[in-house]
Amino acid sequence: MDDWLGRHRRFSLVFFSTFPVVIPFIFMRNAGPALRVSNVVAIVMLFLMGYALGRMTGRHRWLVGISMVILGSILVGLTIALGG
């Protein structure tokens, strides 16, 4: 039973962390603009997770959130530069 609960929790974690990034592709016809909206959603999620991480670890919340945004923006920029 513990194995099944662990699998369910893992599936839920992966599903709910990636589904918001997929939503623009469901509702938008053109892939280009959907990709950019998806990138914005992902960066907003990174800020929120960084903010929460900063709060839980006792660090400066805004600094951790903005650091996550900068890291995400660099990764998105590299993806775009490589043709993504």
Side-chain angles (χ1 to χ4, degrees):
M1 188 64 174
D2 287 340
D3 288 341
W4 285 103
L5 287 174
R7 289 177 188 147
H8 178 68
R9 288 182 188 137
R10 198 170 325 132
F11 170 79
S12 298
L13 177 67
V14 171
F15 179 79
F16 289 115
S17 65
T18 57
F19 189 68
V21 178
V22 176
I23 291 173
F25 293 101
I26 296 172
F27 293 109
M28 298 177 77
R29 292 186 184 266
N30 297 331
L35 179 63
R36 300 301 170 238
V37 172
S38 175
N39 290 340
V40 169
V41 169
I43 289 174
V44 168
M45 287 175 59
L46 278 172
F47 175 77
L48 294 174
M49 292 302 108
Y51 188 88
L53 178 67
R55 188 183 75 217
M56 288 189 304
T57 59
R59 306 266 183 198
H60 192 271
R61 299 172 189 168
W62 284 92
L63 184 61
V64 176
I66 291 173
S67 298
M68 295 281 279
V69 168
I70 291 170
L71 177 64
S73 298
I74 290 170
L75 292 174
V76 168
L78 286 172
T79 304
I80 292 170
L82 294 173

